Amino acid sequence: MKSSRRKFLKKAASAVTGTLVFPYIIPSSSLGLGGETPPSEKILMGVIGTGSQGMSNMRSFMRLKDQVRFVALCDVDAKRLEAAKAVVDKVNRSNDCRIYGDFREFLEKEKLDAVLIAIPDHWHGIIYTAAANKKLDVYGEKPICRTINDGKVIVQAVKKNGIIWQTGSWQRSEANFHRGAELVINGRIGKVKYIEVGLPDGVRGIGTPPVQEVPEGLDWEMWLGPALKVPYRGVCHWNWRWILDYSGGQLTDWAGHHVDIANWGTGLEYTGPVEIEGTGFYPYDGIYNAPVEYDITCKFANGIIMRIANASRLPKGMGTVWYGDLGWIHVDRGNRISASDPKILEETIGENEIHLYKSTDHFQNFIDCVRTRKEAIAPIEPAYRAISTALLGEIAMTTGQKIYWDPEKEEIIGNPNASRLLGRPYRKPWTLPEV
Amino acid sequence: MKRVLNILLIISIILLIFTDCKKSPHYRALIITGQNSTDWVASTPVLKQILEKTGIFECSILISPTPGGEWDKFRPAWDKYNLVVLNYNGEKWPETIRNGFISYVNNGGGVLVYHSASIAFPDWKEYNEICGISGWDNRSEKDGPYIYFRGNRMVLDSSAGPAGWHGEPREFEVRIRNTEHPVTRGLPVRWMHAKDLLYARLRGPAKNMEVLATAYCDTTGGGTGRDEPVMMAITYGKGRVFHTTLGFPGDGTSPALQCAGFITTLQRGAEWAASGKVTQPVPRDFPTVSGVVLRTEMKPITLKEEIENLAKYEIGMSTRYYTGLQDRIKKAAGDPDKLLEIEKMMVKLLENDKATIESKKLVLRELSWMGTDYCIPTIKKLQENAELKDEVDFALERLGVK
């Protein structure tokens, strides 16, 4: 039974508080089950959103096959759902993986330990909150919200329900990002004055496609959900991220990675900027309307300036660069780390210095935390803070104004028009669930 | 006496205001053409139009003799101009003209080298220094290194080989390499250029030359696979030179000449060459990586025209009037008067029975955040319209109307 196992897990976790490594995995061979952990010992997981990111994440969890069992899937696209079920059933060597087209039914009927959610941003507010209210632990994709007001509710739902939350900001579990952030937070480049965050450039447009027939199996109405109703025009999976109704483009897609890392290395994870200004270059024409170039400058209360721009506008391109008064460190994907002086990278971090949370496997870390009830490496609030910085940049670009933000009250100061952009009304009958 | 002086003062102030309002041309430009491997008859009026549309240039055209013609009558009055636009490649100019041109540049005259003009005068040393890099006409390693980009760095490649190559015309992406130069400051750093000939394998002395932009020459048909320079800023003596290899004219209607990116960079480059500064704002139709933007009409659109065009919007049509409206709202930068002026026009569209439902939906999305009390009665009236129900609810909720 789910509830009793969860109680057991919670008890076990409290019993080992303070232990660095919890040897919870009993080698299944010792159980005499031909190398397999009995299903009852596995974390039961479901997936909402079986698109490319959802499938990729699911496969990453399946690597941990002695620990996780996927038992239920949900998607608005029946074809994708079937394909995902085939993958799960093959791994489970059964055909009992349950499938749903409506997340409400999925959440109502399924008794799970955790859920992996990988859906378009405009749905995050409703579905993340609903999952948290069901007390499910969540591995949720970044950016965690399409609007700041959605984000506030999600953070509240995660905290109030006491669930384990892991954001898909997997860079935190990569050695180079961890190392860079740890060197910076321990002052190895001196006091940080300035940070540059390079995110991808926008993409080529596709013009203005006509209204098209909705592909068989796709529940377009459900895909749109709380977004304003528009006819299907061939843009749905993956490419929704170039349309502002559903995403803020590369800026918001990637802020959950490199802005998050920037904050991690400077202790800005639980606050936000106080002043934000920015310029965006938007497509002149076409169905894609997210900015293809953007250049945002934020100031934090402690004086740190953060510039977030598409990589082609920045001298060091993609990634996070912290500039301190003693040098700089640059981290990027592909295990890249470089510094103004290579010796900085050889520094050791002393016992009494700050040791940032260490994980070498983002998915394992989540599973570990589901069992131990310890906070995961990418908890909800830092994810919210990272994306809200980008969303404030989006508001600055939309209004053409400098935005003043109160990171404590989480309010825009003295600008009613800009404040309206903190949220977005939901199309009826959708509403954000109460926490 | 004092009264007379006062009146004179007032008159001169009035005159000053009026001349300022009229935006009379500050700079005189001379387009030199008459011989060219491309169609100069077609391209010259286009160049003149592009420059004069800035409102700061007044252009004259000087046509050279035909090959073997009488050069005696070809007498450019260099001193009268702030900018010389070269749309010429052909017979070498007589020495007096060459000397006149060089001393014009040396003394601070501006030069715009346009497209195939960079081919001209392979054995005139000073001209090649003015162009920075050139191609064709037996140029080779003796004329200077190949110039191209590798990653973010400019490469000076002294390997032997001929200069100048181009493939078939095609759309390509231009990449700004210097975001601080007056010509390129404030532009998107990547943008799609309309179908054009991309010059490659250019080489030359490249003295006092900055590459402002490159374009990737793919390997189709023997292309270089390099980021080739397409816009250069050169200083020569006291003079400034803007050199663009873009703008293959065809018969004068080529898309390259209609590209908003080409037009804008030509206008900005011309102003910088003439004055050392650029006062023109970046136009809102400047292309991005999103796609080519052709400017078939040179006239800037008014708010009224924009709203009228937007009122015809149906799904599948161009969204340019909607993005234009959004751009105006951004540029108002929170100024309540400017926003209200825009809002009033948006409300007119909502009240217009002939305006499409789709256009009203778009307007309601914008009003939802930037609208004032002014728009609310009109939006409320639209509540009866079933087709607009979602957007009306959306707008009223965001505007805080119960």
Side-chain angles (χ1 to χ4, degrees):
Chain A
M1 280 297 290
K2 172 200 149 80
S3 59
S4 61
R5 182 165 70 248
R6 188 181 284 271
K7 266 183 213 153
F8 161 76
L9 291 172
K10 277 182 185 162
K11 269 188 198 158
S14 57
V16 293
T17 304
T19 312
L20 204 65
V21 183
F22 178 39
Y24 52 83
I25 306 167
I26 306 158
S28 53
S29 55
S30 69
L31 300 169
L33 286 166
E36 280 203 31
T37 310
S40 61
E41 297 297 316
K42 292 181 180 177
I43 302 286
L44 295 186
M45 280 188 80
V47 182
I48 303 177
T50 57
S52 50
Q53 192 62 45
M55 291 300 279
S56 159
N57 291 345
M58 189 173 80
R59 287 198 166 90
S60 295
F61 278 113
M62 283 172 166
R63 280 187 298 119
L64 321 171
K65 60 176 183 248
D66 278 346
Q67 303 167 53
V68 179
R69 182 180 171 90
F70 285 95
V71 293
L73 305 169
C74 178
D75 202 295
V76 296
D77 187 332
K79 282 190 181 163
R80 287 187 152 196
L81 200 52
E82 274 165 39
K85 177 176 159 58
V87 171
V88 171
D89 282 347
K90 195 175 170 196
V91 169
N92 290 350
R93 280 184 264 163
S94 75
N95 62 358
D96 57 5
C97 174
R98 297 170 294 275
I99 53 174
Y100 300 86
D102 187 323
F103 73 95
R104 292 167 294 192
E105 193 191 351
F106 170 98
L107 289 176
E108 201 50 51
K109 289 191 177 161
E110 287 297 329
K111 300 283 176 263
L112 304 166
D113 297 312
V115 63
L116 153 60
I117 307 177
I119 51 176
D121 306 353
H122 67 285
W123 261 116
H124 284 180
I126 291 174
I127 295 184
Y128 284 166
T129 308
N133 283 347
K134 281 279 168 192
K135 306 264 190 281
L136 289 172
D137 295 334
V138 177
Y139 183 103
E141 268 307 327
K142 31 56 53 186
I144 64 124
C145 51
R146 180 67 192 96
T147 67
I148 287 180
N149 288 351
D150 281 2
K152 287 181 193 170
V153 174
I154 295 164
V155 171
Q156 208 190 339
V158 168
K159 286 184 178 172
K160 196 169 165 193
N161 288 298
I163 65 161
I164 298 300
W165 174 279
Q166 178 81 300
T167 314
S169 303
W170 54 266
Q171 289 180 182
R172 285 189 173 222
S173 295
E174 298 285 305
N176 63 316
F177 291 105
H178 180 274
R179 176 79 174 140
E182 201 166 76
L183 286 166
V184 170
I185 205 156
N186 284 295
R188 294 302 190 274
I189 55 168
K191 194 169 157 34
V192 174
K193 302 262 163 97
Y194 174 62
I195 308 171
E196 249 169 22
V197 180
L199 311 179
D201 299 353
V203 299
R204 195 71 43 86
I206 55 163
T208 52
V211 176
Q212 293 163 39
E213 202 173 314
V214 177
E216 202 191 317
L218 174 65
D219 185 347
W220 177 242
E221 170 63 33
M222 193 65 172
W223 188 91
L224 288 170
L228 281 171
K229 187 156 187 166
V230 292
Y232 181 80
R233 296 169 69 189
V235 182
C236 181
H237 302 321
W238 184 260
N239 288 319
W240 51 265
R241 66 195 71 231
W242 321 125
I243 299 181
L244 291 170
D245 277 3
Y246 323 117
S247 164
Q250 300 279 30
L251 166 65
T252 59
D253 201 31
W254 279 72
H257 289 304
H258 292 315
V259 174
D260 177 54
I261 295 295
N263 289 346
W264 203 26
T266 38
L268 295 171
E269 288 177 280
Y270 291 89
T271 186
V274 292
E275 290 174 22
I276 308 96
E277 49 193 329
T279 312
F281 293 97
Y282 292 77
Y284 179 67
D285 205 347
I287 188 169
Y288 293 173
N289 60 0
V292 286
E293 293 196 29
Y294 43 92
D295 206 330
I296 295 159
T297 302
C298 311
K299 190 176 164 188
F300 288 79
N302 63 3
I304 290 180
I305 304 287
M306 185 187 291
R307 181 178 174 201
I308 306 166
N310 58 298
S312 294
R313 304 188 74 80
L314 297 175
K316 292 191 195 297
M318 285 286 291
T320 302
V321 198
W322 297 275
Y323 293 88
D325 46 19
L326 303 177
W328 54 260
I329 291 177
H330 178 199
V331 287
D332 190 17
R333 290 197 175 175
N335 206 24
R336 289 193 187 95
I337 181 164
S338 56
S340 46
D341 180 349
K343 282 186 193 136
I344 295 171
L345 303 178
E346 286 157 24
E347 289 269 329
T348 49
I349 305 297
E351 221 172 273
N352 295 325
E353 290 189 278
I354 301 167
H355 291 265
L356 291 179
Y357 193 134
K358 181 80 179 166
S359 150
T360 52
D361 186 318
H362 210 58
F363 300 91
Q364 182 68 63
N365 173 257
F366 175 65
I367 296 304
D368 291 353
C369 293
V370 168
R371 293 187 188 271
T372 63
R373 310 314 295 167
K374 192 184 140 191
E375 189 172 66
I377 191 168
I380 191 71
E381 186 165 349
Y384 161 70
R385 293 295 184 170
I387 184 57
S388 53
T389 300
L391 291 171
L392 289 165
E394 184 182 53
I395 293 173
M397 296 192 297
T398 305
T399 58
Q401 285 181 282
K402 187 172 184 174
I403 302 297
Y404 297 89
W405 174 247
D406 181 336
E408 298 297 319
K409 291 187 191 151
E410 298 172 50
E411 286 170 0
I412 286 176
I413 302 162
N415 191 332
N417 283 1
S419 298
R420 288 173 182 155
L421 293 169
L422 290 172
R424 193 181 277 182
Y426 283 177
R427 182 165 61 105
K428 290 186 178 80
W430 295 104
T431 52
L432 261 179
E434 299 243 334
V435 177
Chain B
M1 185 63 193
K2 204 179 169 189
R3 215 174 131 189
V4 175
L5 273 177
N6 271 342
I7 289 166
L8 275 176
L9 191 72
I10 289 163
I11 289 171
S12 52
I13 287 170
I14 290 168
L15 278 175
L16 209 72
I17 291 166
F18 270 88
T19 39
D20 215 46
C21 287
K22 209 180 136 222
K23 208 183 174 185
S24 62
H26 315 310
Y27 308 116
R28 299 194 57 180
L30 177 69
I31 305 176
I32 298 182
T33 189
Q35 296 184 29
N36 205 319
S37 50
T38 58
D39 187 346
W40 65 267
V41 178
S43 59
T44 301
V46 180
L47 294 177
K48 179 174 155 67
Q49 193 197 9
I50 289 173
L51 294 181
E52 292 191 338
K53 279 293 165 192
T54 61
I56 56 175
F57 282 104
E58 186 187 343
C59 291
S60 308
I61 297 169
L62 182 64
I63 297 169
S64 72
T66 48
E70 290 179 36
W71 283 92
D72 295 353
K73 287 169 193 160
F74 184 74
R75 288 264 176 271
W78 305 110
D79 293 348
K80 285 170 68 181
Y81 298 99
N82 310 95
L83 181 73
V84 168
V85 180
L86 295 169
N87 185 18
Y88 180 96
N89 73 63
E91 207 174 351
K92 195 172 177 182
W93 296 342
E95 197 181 352
T96 48
I97 302 193
R98 294 203 307 270
N99 290 343
F101 177 64
I102 295 302
S103 66
Y104 160 80
V105 186
N106 263 327
N107 291 329
V111 181
L112 195 163
V113 179
Y114 158 67
H115 193 59
S116 52
S118 50
I119 298 167
F121 313 129
D123 55 358
W124 178 9
K125 180 170 167 280
E126 290 84 354
Y127 184 81
N128 285 274
E129 287 176 0
I130 282 168
C131 292
I133 49 174
S134 318
W136 293 276
D137 283 9
N138 298 318
R139 286 180 174 92
S140 68
E141 59 275 15
K142 71 183 186 312
D143 297 286
Y146 290 117
I147 304 289
Y148 51 89
F149 267 62
R150 190 181 290 140
N152 285 328
R153 291 216 183 93
M154 186 168 96
V155 177
L156 288 80
D157 175 352
S158 300
S159 60
W165 183 90
H166 67 71
E168 289 298 308
R170 57 181 175 273
E171 287 183 358
F172 51 83
E173 183 184 309
V174 174
R175 174 78 192 263
I176 302 296
R177 295 294 179 170
N178 183 336
T179 53
E180 296 305 317
H181 194 277
V183 175
T184 44
R185 195 184 295 148
L187 302 182
V189 298
R190 291 173 57 194
W191 47 277
M192 286 306 296
H193 179 46
K195 209 171 178 188
D196 198 352
L197 282 183
L198 173 57
Y199 285 4
R201 290 190 163 274
L202 299 184
R203 57 193 315 165
K207 274 195 220 167
N208 304 318
M209 181 182 91
E210 273 187 278
V211 174
L212 302 183
T214 60
Y216 180 71
C217 174
D218 66 45
T219 52
T220 317
T224 58
R226 294 170 184 163
D227 287 309
E228 299 287 351
V230 294
M231 280 180 224
M232 283 70 64
I234 302 115
T235 50
Y236 185 93
K238 287 184 199 157
R240 283 170 302 272
V241 183
F242 177 68
H243 178 179
T244 180
T245 68
L246 303 179
F248 173 68
D251 62 0
T253 59
S254 114
L257 295 183
Q258 293 171 18
C259 168
F262 169 76
I263 292 169
T264 305
T265 51
L266 195 83
Q267 290 170 327
R268 294 172 71 89
E271 185 180 0
W272 174 77
S275 70
K277 57 182 198 268
V278 176
T279 58
Q280 304 164 58
V282 177
R284 86 145 209 99
D285 64 353
F286 198 95
T288 62
V289 71
S290 175
V292 167
V293 179
L294 295 182
R295 198 188 285 177
T296 44
E297 202 181 323
M298 287 280 183
K299 211 171 83 194
I301 188 164
T302 64
L303 173 61
K304 190 166 171 278
E305 290 165 336
E306 200 142 61
I307 293 285
E308 282 166 5
N309 281 298
L310 178 60
K312 297 171 200 156
Y313 176 75
E314 294 287 2
I315 285 170
M317 285 167 61
S318 167
T319 59
R320 72 180 63 183
Y321 304 110
Y322 179 44
T323 59
L325 176 68
Q326 289 175 314
D327 191 65
R328 281 176 199 275
I329 296 168
K330 286 182 182 86
K331 292 218 170 92
D335 181 324
D337 296 338
K338 286 183 187 161
L339 284 174
L340 185 62
E341 187 196 347
I342 300 170
E343 182 179 351
K344 284 180 176 171
M345 294 300 287
M346 292 162 85
V347 166
K348 268 192 186 164
L349 186 147
L350 291 183
E351 288 171 348
N352 177 359
D353 292 339
K354 285 181 189 150
T356 62
I357 289 292
E358 291 304 327
S359 72
K360 290 181 181 178
K361 286 181 181 175
L362 299 181
V363 164
L364 285 165
R365 281 163 176 256
E366 299 309 308
L367 285 173
S368 76
W369 70 271
M370 48 67 73
T372 64
D373 289 348
Y374 181 85
C375 68
I376 290 170
T378 304
I379 298 179
K380 278 186 171 170
K381 266 185 245 159
L382 293 175
Q383 274 175 313
E384 296 145 24
N385 189 330
E387 287 178 291
L388 289 171
K389 190 174 183 315
D390 290 343
E391 283 73 14
V392 165
D393 286 350
F394 181 92
L396 291 178
E397 186 180 334
R398 220 184 206 176
L399 289 162
V401 180
K402 296 275 147 51

